[in-house]
Amino acid sequence: MRFARNPNNRSGDYLEGMLSDYVGGKAKVKATKTGCTWLVTALTCLQLAFAVYATILLYYMSPSVELRTKPEFTWATRIARNMKQFIIPPHVHGRYQEAASLITAEIFSPITPSQVCEHERIDFVQKKSSDVQMIKLKRELYDEILDFQSKTIGTETLSELMAMKSQWDMRGPNRPKVTVLLNHFKRKTLCSQLDSLLQQSLPFHQVWVLSFGSPNEHSLKRIVESYNDSRISFISSSYDFKYYGRFQMALQTEADLVYIVDDDMIPGKKMLQILSHVAGTEKYKNSALGSIGRILPFRQKDFTFPSYRKFRSKEAGLYLPDPAYDITVQKIVQVDFLSSSWFLSAELVKALFIETPSTFMTGEDLHLSYQLQKYRNAGSFVLPVDLTDKETWGDSEHRLAYVSETTVIFKDIVQVRDDQWWRALSTGYVTQWAAMYPQKIDALFYAHSVDEVKALAPLLEKFRSSVGKKAYIVVSGGNFCPCEDAAAALNWPKSVCKERRFKIFDLQVGALSRASNSEVPVLQAVYSSLKGLIKIHNPSVIITVTDIDPNVKKALKMASETNVNGTALVLLPRSSVSKVLWMADLRSTALQNWKRMRISVNIITQSRAPSLTRLLKSLSDAYYTGDEIPVSFNMDSKVDEATIKLVDSFEWLHGPKTLRRRIIQGGLIRAVSESWYPTSDDDFGLLLEDDIEVSPYYYLWIKYALLAYHYDPQVSLPELSSISLYTPRLVEVVKERPRWNPTEFFNRIHPNTPYLHQLPCSWGAVFFPKHWREFYVYMNMRFTEDAKANPVQIPKSRTNGWQASWKKFLIDMMYLRGYVSLYPNFPNQASFSTNHMEPGAHISAKDNVVRHDKADFEVPLLIEDFRTLLPNGKLPPASKLPSLNLFNQPVSLKGLKAAGAKLGQDVLPCNNATEIVTVDHITGLPQQCSKFI
């Protein structure tokens, strides 16, 4: 450091420098050589005399020595007195004397705490509220929280906590090392804190007194030095590291645990022992412990969240303990964040710096608890106290909080902190409100870019406009997808990004990872935030686009799998988003089964390459929902070369491709029935012959129908065994084969209502796993080369004479057991598949004497969104579906079973007309006759 010289005292300063140089040995006298001995002797004696004289003179001229009143060297003293005032100015003499006195005092008289300690003056009583309503509201909320936590995580008193087993032995060799960090700025409490720490029942390992930008740095340092304890260190900086600096210092400790204490906290003498013991228990070892905490706001009746400082509001949350409302903590309580003191393992402190906080000016308390939960699954707890023993209190003098101003009461700081906790809640922080009141929403949309927001907008709007549906959107934020830009893309006001209301969640991922070229920050931020949001809102589905960033897709997948209640990840191709608006019409309980089903496409082909080409093109051009869809090709032994090459070169983008070719020609009955067998109860098989063509909407119809009628837990339709893509124009089981139009038939109900039919479809249908296993066993038990030998003869059915038809056996089984298939019904019998009736194993069979008119079988394909054609724009409830028997006559489901029971020709003889055969759905084997409902 440099000091400026005083220009008015140049002579004095010059003399100081000159004397310093002389005393320091810079001035030297050189002896002159001579050849004369006597002269040398004389000069030597003279030199010695002058040296003695000079020494005496300098002694009396020294600033630190007063001249004596009684001279011993009269002539020298007289000269010295006259020269002293001239040579050494008075101000220099006084300054040297003062400095010398201070140095002497410091060396020989060390300071003690009693000399330098200062204490805050507390001449007021603890504030108490007289607001009866507020006391009631606060007490009610506190009781609700305690009741919830006692039932879910369990709460303990101090004595119960101390009785729990801990990894730390407070008196043995396994005693924990605790480093205490005391952060000081203006308050005069350091001595009180040090006195308390020095008397702890568990000795501390180290105490670090921190002074960052404090105007009291010098006095704080003197206090630390006055204690003269090697375990107590003073660390200071002229730069103010604000509230995060102490946690940054905590990263440097080698201790097991750290105790970070504000300057308004005077811990009781048992606190280190209590905190260490609890931190060593299995239940609380992964926790932050403290003495003061806060419960963040609860949602209000208008679905908004108030400020945490809102007056006379139960929903504003709690401050714990709160002497103003006589709220004490006598059982451990989980809070949303701790204040004023934090006790945790040194390892957990690292979590504070995983994400960059929105500001370093305030909010380190909330940020720590938020990050601990988000990345370490660690909670924050306020320890209970023994009200009769103040040494168990972590805040033995709460009035200190009112002595000096605190930043959290200033209006602008309150707004900053309100914004901070809302940002935490909207990025997955599971607060006590969220834990106590778990939400249930239908869908949570995720967009990583503004383009993705625009792509998802139609479906999001459909969900939000549907009565009884709840859906929110999550955006990455930052540079990827700013919240304000996302709101603009949705035609929402930009103010939605600031409202404390659930609608749009900004993860600010771009802000977190903008300086990194690694995918890890993005994956980590999306996963950790979505995991929390899923836990809070419990969505049935998370919806995003298929071509989203692969790392984000991984994060979404991992997050969705964390929900024990089931959240399905829906990856929609952008072209399909506007085509699946029917998702908003499904129940939440059905939506969450979105990923359970596995629909495979099974193609039966035999030397019809042009027909197969047409089918494959229609399959490739269809709309899909991001599911994996395996495709298999089943070829007989005599398949031609063109078909083999076509199958081999076909690229299927939606799942694996499998080729099967028989060694021995099996015929159509084996080709179809052996083309697919379910691997699980969620494995569904779509069977397609190669002369079939499908609509672009075929897969969406299957998906929608399965979710509505099979995967909705509130729907019971065990009779449903398949879903048809095709709408027949003939009543094919009657000899006359009359034409039939379901649109006209059901006009009184609704012209386009889907319906249940006892007839299975062979021209494009999805078969259910349980019923297909059952069919396998049934056909094996009933197959005969001679059709007339078949014991099942359905009255007036043309199917009795069918030979070499797998469909005949399926019809028999469905008739005997009352099973049905779901059929579409649209104008002009437009369907999701059509049959082009091209020559093949069935149509051109020599023994097929029935003339087939192509116009009776070929129907138009649906090329527009079918949803708008349905009754009220959606699939009707299962209970409203009309049902037809084999002959297209309206019969109830119970009536269908009664007809099968009456026929009594199943594989097991059932004597009672009210019983039908029931099977083991895993093996398909018949078990017993059971009464039907």
Side-chain angles (χ1 to χ4, degrees):
M1 299 177 67
R2 295 185 178 180
F3 297 92
R5 296 182 182 275
N6 187 341
N8 299 323
N9 192 25
R10 299 180 67 87
S11 61
D13 288 347
Y14 174 75
L15 182 59
E16 286 184 61
M18 182 183 70
L19 289 175
S20 297
D21 289 346
Y22 186 89
V23 174
K26 291 183 179 179
K28 295 181 180 179
V29 180
K30 294 184 179 180
T32 304
K33 294 182 180 180
T34 178
C36 303
T37 304
W38 65 269
L39 183 59
V40 172
T41 304
L43 290 174
T44 302
C45 292
L46 183 60
Q47 189 178 18
L48 178 61
F50 271 100
V52 173
Y53 171 75
T55 301
I56 296 170
L57 181 63
L58 286 173
Y59 172 77
Y60 278 97
M61 291 175 66
S62 172
S64 60
V65 179
E66 288 293 334
L67 296 176
R68 301 174 181 273
T69 55
K70 294 182 180 181
E72 297 178 8
F73 300 91
T74 306
W75 61 277
T77 302
R78 221 174 15 245
I79 294 174
R81 281 179 177 165
N82 293 332
M83 293 293 292
K84 181 173 180 180
Q85 296 296 325
F86 175 74
I87 297 174
I88 305 177
H91 77 278
V92 176
H93 177 264
R95 191 159 69 244
Y96 270 82
Q97 278 191 322
E98 181 182 355
S101 299
L102 287 173
I103 293 170
T104 302
E106 289 187 4
I107 293 174
F108 297 104
S109 302
I111 55 176
T112 61
S114 61
Q115 293 176 291
V116 294
C117 277
E118 297 177 294
H119 299 276
E120 293 288 358
R121 182 179 178 184
I122 303 176
D123 52 4
F124 57 90
V125 296
Q126 174 66 51
K127 295 180 180 180
K128 294 286 185 180
S129 174
S130 58
D131 190 326
V132 177
Q133 182 182 359
M134 275 295 290
I135 295 173
K136 179 177 180 291
L137 292 176
K138 296 286 186 182
R139 190 73 236 180
E140 284 179 353
L141 181 57
Y142 184 45
D143 289 342
E144 290 172 13
I145 293 170
L146 281 181
D147 182 62
F148 169 77
Q149 292 187 7
S150 65
K151 293 177 180 177
T152 53
I153 60 175
T155 56
E156 298 87 14
T157 62
L158 181 58
S159 59
E160 290 171 338
L161 286 172
M162 297 307 289
M164 294 170 67
K165 183 179 180 181
S166 177
Q167 73 177 94
W168 303 117
D169 180 3
M170 302 304 158
R171 292 185 174 86
N174 194 31
R175 192 169 64 184
K177 292 181 178 180
V178 181
T179 293
V180 184
L181 290 89
L182 306 176
N183 194 64
H184 276 264
F185 192 73
K186 282 187 177 181
R187 284 194 179 97
K188 303 172 183 178
T189 55
L190 178 56
C191 290
S192 298
Q193 289 183 323
L194 292 176
D195 290 342
S196 173
L197 291 171
L198 287 167
Q199 299 177 57
Q200 289 291 313
S201 56
L202 173 69
F204 58 80
H205 177 60
Q206 289 180 323
V207 171
W208 295 350
V209 179
L210 311 178
S211 171
F212 297 141
S214 170
N216 299 338
E217 179 182 337
H218 180 69
S219 61
L220 293 170
K221 182 179 181 181
R222 283 171 58 81
I223 290 172
V224 171
E225 292 173 346
S226 73
Y227 277 84
N228 193 27
D229 192 321
S230 61
R231 299 174 300 164
I232 305 175
S233 303
F234 181 75
I235 303 169
S236 67
S237 171
S238 58
Y239 181 79
D240 188 357
F241 289 96
K242 296 292 183 182
Y243 304 98
Y244 285 83
R246 48 190 166 176
F247 293 96
Q248 290 172 304
M249 290 303 304
L251 295 175
Q252 306 298 318
T253 183
E254 296 178 354
D256 303 302
L257 302 160
V258 294
Y259 188 29
I260 302 169
V261 187
D262 270 359
D263 56 7
D264 59 349
M265 298 287 287
I266 310 297
K269 297 173 184 178
K270 298 178 181 179
M271 276 310 297
L272 285 186
Q273 180 181 351
I274 294 171
L275 289 165
S276 298
H277 177 86
V278 176
T281 63
E282 184 65 27
K283 183 176 181 179
Y284 297 106
K285 67 180 181 182
N286 187 45
S287 305
L289 308 175
S291 302
I292 298 175
R294 183 173 283 278
I295 305 292
L296 286 170
F298 282 40
R299 191 165 65 177
Q300 302 175 124
K301 292 181 180 179
D302 65 354
F303 294 98
T304 64
F305 289 79
S307 168
Y308 77 105
R309 299 286 296 184
K310 184 178 180 180
F311 184 62
R312 302 198 79 175
S313 170
K314 179 179 179 180
E315 290 80 12
L318 287 175
Y319 179 78
L320 296 173
D322 198 337
Y325 299 102
D326 285 327
I327 294 178
T328 58
V329 177
Q330 299 182 55
K331 285 190 173 184
I332 192 168
V333 57
Q334 186 170 9
V335 293
D336 293 323
F337 66 90
L338 297 167
S339 293
S340 301
S341 67
W342 301 264
F343 190 90
L344 66 168
S345 70
E347 179 65 23
L348 288 179
V349 178
K350 297 176 182 177
L352 180 66
F353 302 99
I354 295 176
E355 290 183 14
T356 303
S358 56
T359 176
F360 285 99
M361 299 300 293
T362 186
E364 82 296 346
D365 42 11
L366 171 61
H367 191 65
L368 175 62
S369 292
Y370 169 46
Q371 297 288 280
L372 283 173
Q373 183 195 96
K374 188 173 183 179
Y375 293 106
R376 297 300 181 91
N377 198 28
S380 300
F381 296 86
V382 171
L383 289 187
V385 299
D386 181 348
L387 294 179
T388 64
D389 185 0
K390 212 167 186 179
E391 303 304 337
T392 65
W393 299 10
D395 181 23
S396 61
E397 184 46 84
H398 190 74
R399 289 178 295 172
L400 284 171
Y402 302 98
V403 171
S404 183
E405 293 178 336
T406 173
T407 57
V408 296
I409 64 173
F410 301 148
K411 185 177 180 180
D412 56 340
I413 295 297
V414 169
Q415 182 61 51
V416 170
R417 290 177 69 86
D418 270 336
D419 291 343
Q420 186 188 32
W421 71 255
W422 172 249
R423 188 178 299 110
L425 179 60
S426 58
T427 53
Y429 188 31
V430 184
T431 64
Q432 294 310 300
W433 167 82
M436 292 173 66
Y437 299 99
Q439 304 298 292
K440 178 59 185 174
I441 66 172
D442 298 275
L444 193 63
F445 289 76
Y446 182 85
H448 205 63
S449 68
V450 176
D451 284 343
E452 292 170 13
V453 174
K454 294 177 181 177
L456 295 168
L459 186 55
L460 173 63
E461 184 57 34
K462 179 64 169 66
F463 266 99
R464 292 188 62 81
S465 61
S466 298
V467 177
K469 297 295 180 182
K470 287 184 180 180
Y472 309 131
I473 185 169
V474 182
V475 296
S476 56
N479 298 330
F480 294 118
C481 184
C483 183
E484 291 75 11
D485 293 352
L490 294 167
N491 294 318
W492 293 352
K494 293 184 178 180
S495 59
V496 299
C497 296
K498 302 296 182 183
E499 293 175 349
R500 290 197 289 271
R501 181 195 300 271
F502 295 140
K503 191 171 185 179
I504 185 168
F505 303 127
D506 181 0
L507 301 189
Q508 297 188 341
V509 174
L512 175 68
S513 59
R514 63 176 178 265
S516 174
N517 293 324
S518 171
E519 73 281 0
V520 173
V522 173
L523 192 151
Q524 174 179 266
V526 174
Y527 165 71
S528 57
S529 293
L530 259 295
K531 181 181 68 172
L533 287 173
I534 289 171
K535 190 170 184 179
I536 295 170
H537 299 285
N538 194 24
S540 294
V541 288
I542 296 175
I543 302 174
T544 190
V545 293
T546 305
D547 59 336
I548 197 169
D549 180 274
N551 295 305
V552 175
K553 188 184 295 185
K554 291 178 186 176
L556 295 176
K557 183 176 183 296
M558 290 191 298
S560 65
E561 292 170 351
T562 62
N563 189 6
V564 295
N565 297 321
T567 294
L569 175 62
V570 179
L571 300 167
L572 293 175
R574 298 192 189 210
S575 60
S576 297
V577 172
S578 61
K579 308 297 188 299
V580 294
L581 302 186
W582 43 261
M583 290 180 68
D585 298 321
L586 293 166
R587 292 189 183 93
S588 288
T589 49
L591 271 177
Q592 67 188 30
N593 291 312
W594 182 274
K595 301 283 286 186
R596 278 186 60 185
M597 67 192 75
R598 182 177 184 265
I599 303 167
S600 61
V601 178
N602 305 276
I603 300 171
I604 299 95
T605 184
Q606 178 72 16
S607 302
R608 289 194 292 197
S611 300
L612 180 59
T613 300
R614 180 183 56 222
L615 171 60
L616 296 181
K617 184 179 186 305
S618 68
L619 288 169
S620 297
D621 292 344
Y623 297 110
Y624 295 97
T625 60
D627 301 335
E628 181 184 79
I629 307 169
V631 63
S632 70
F633 293 88
N634 301 273
M635 300 168 285
D636 224 326
S637 63
K638 296 179 181 180
V639 63
D640 62 11
E641 180 181 355
T643 301
I644 294 174
K645 287 184 176 180
L646 174 60
V647 169
D648 182 68
S649 63
F650 176 64
E651 292 187 7
W652 181 243
L653 303 179
H654 306 285
K657 180 179 73 171
T658 304
L659 276 62
R660 299 190 186 96
R661 183 179 179 184
R662 294 182 65 89
I663 296 175
I664 301 174
Q665 192 75 7
L668 187 61
I669 190 169
R670 290 181 176 85
V672 175
S673 60
E674 296 177 8
S675 65
W676 168 75
Y677 193 83
T679 59
S680 72
D681 287 346
D682 296 306
D683 189 4
F684 298 82
L686 171 62
L687 306 189
L688 298 172
E689 293 188 43
D690 53 14
D691 63 341
I692 293 172
E693 184 179 4
V694 298
S695 156
Y697 292 87
Y698 89 92
Y699 189 83
L700 304 186
W701 160 253
I702 297 170
K703 188 87 172 180
Y704 187 12
L706 280 173
L707 288 166
Y709 299 132
H710 185 74
Y711 280 103
D712 187 337
Q714 298 183 45
V715 173
S716 176
L717 196 56
E719 300 86 357
L720 185 60
S721 63
S722 60
I723 298 172
S724 174
L725 307 183
Y726 179 82
T727 305
R729 284 182 168 175
L730 300 176
V731 182
E732 62 176 306
V733 299
V734 178
K735 183 177 181 181
E736 297 79 13
R737 294 194 304 162
R739 295 181 70 88
W740 185 75
N741 189 327
T743 303
E744 295 175 358
F745 188 84
F746 294 114
N747 188 53
R748 286 186 299 177
I749 301 174
H750 188 283
N752 299 135
T753 181
Y755 62 95
L756 302 174
H757 196 182
Q758 204 169 20
L759 178 74
C761 178
S762 58
W763 294 320
V766 172
F767 295 94
F768 288 22
K770 293 180 181 179
H771 301 83
W772 193 258
R773 295 190 197 105
E774 190 175 340
F775 165 60
Y776 250 62
V777 174
Y778 178 86
M779 188 169 67
N780 181 61
M781 296 177 72
R782 284 292 167 86
F783 181 77
T784 60
E785 294 293 340
D786 181 6
K788 294 180 180 180
N790 192 320
V792 180
Q793 298 293 310
I794 300 174
K796 300 179 181 181
S797 174
R798 192 171 64 87
T799 62
N800 293 331
W802 287 3
Q803 298 182 35
S805 172
W806 64 274
K807 186 174 179 179
K808 182 258 191 301
F809 294 99
L810 185 55
I811 289 173
D812 290 351
M813 187 190 81
M814 292 177 66
Y815 186 89
L816 291 168
R817 299 174 186 177
Y819 295 148
V820 293
S821 181
L822 177 71
Y823 279 80
N825 173 25
F826 297 108
N828 198 27
Q829 284 152 297
S831 301
F832 298 103
S833 69
T834 188
N835 181 4
H836 290 288
M837 295 300 291
E838 293 167 343
H842 176 64
I843 299 301
S844 61
K846 294 179 181 180
D847 56 349
N848 190 342
V849 296
V850 179
R851 178 181 173 272
H852 292 87
D853 186 348
K854 193 172 183 179
D856 291 337
F857 297 93
E858 195 171 41
V859 297
L861 291 172
L862 274 167
I863 57 173
E864 61 179 311
D865 192 346
F866 64 92
R867 183 182 64 87
T868 57
L869 301 174
L870 293 170
N872 300 315
K874 58 185 177 181
L875 285 175
S879 60
K880 299 295 184 181
L881 291 173
S883 56
L884 305 176
N885 66 7
L886 191 60
F887 306 99
N888 289 50
Q889 299 167 336
V891 179
S892 67
L893 294 177
K894 185 176 182 179
L896 296 178
K897 294 175 185 176
K902 182 179 179 181
L903 184 60
Q905 295 177 357
D906 210 330
V907 294
L908 294 180
C910 297
N911 299 323
N912 195 321
T914 60
E915 292 182 340
I916 58 175
V917 173
T918 55
V919 304
D920 182 330
H921 286 298
I922 296 177
T923 64
L925 294 170
Q927 285 187 314
Q928 61 188 11
C929 294
S930 303
K931 289 188 176 182
F932 56 85
I933 300 174

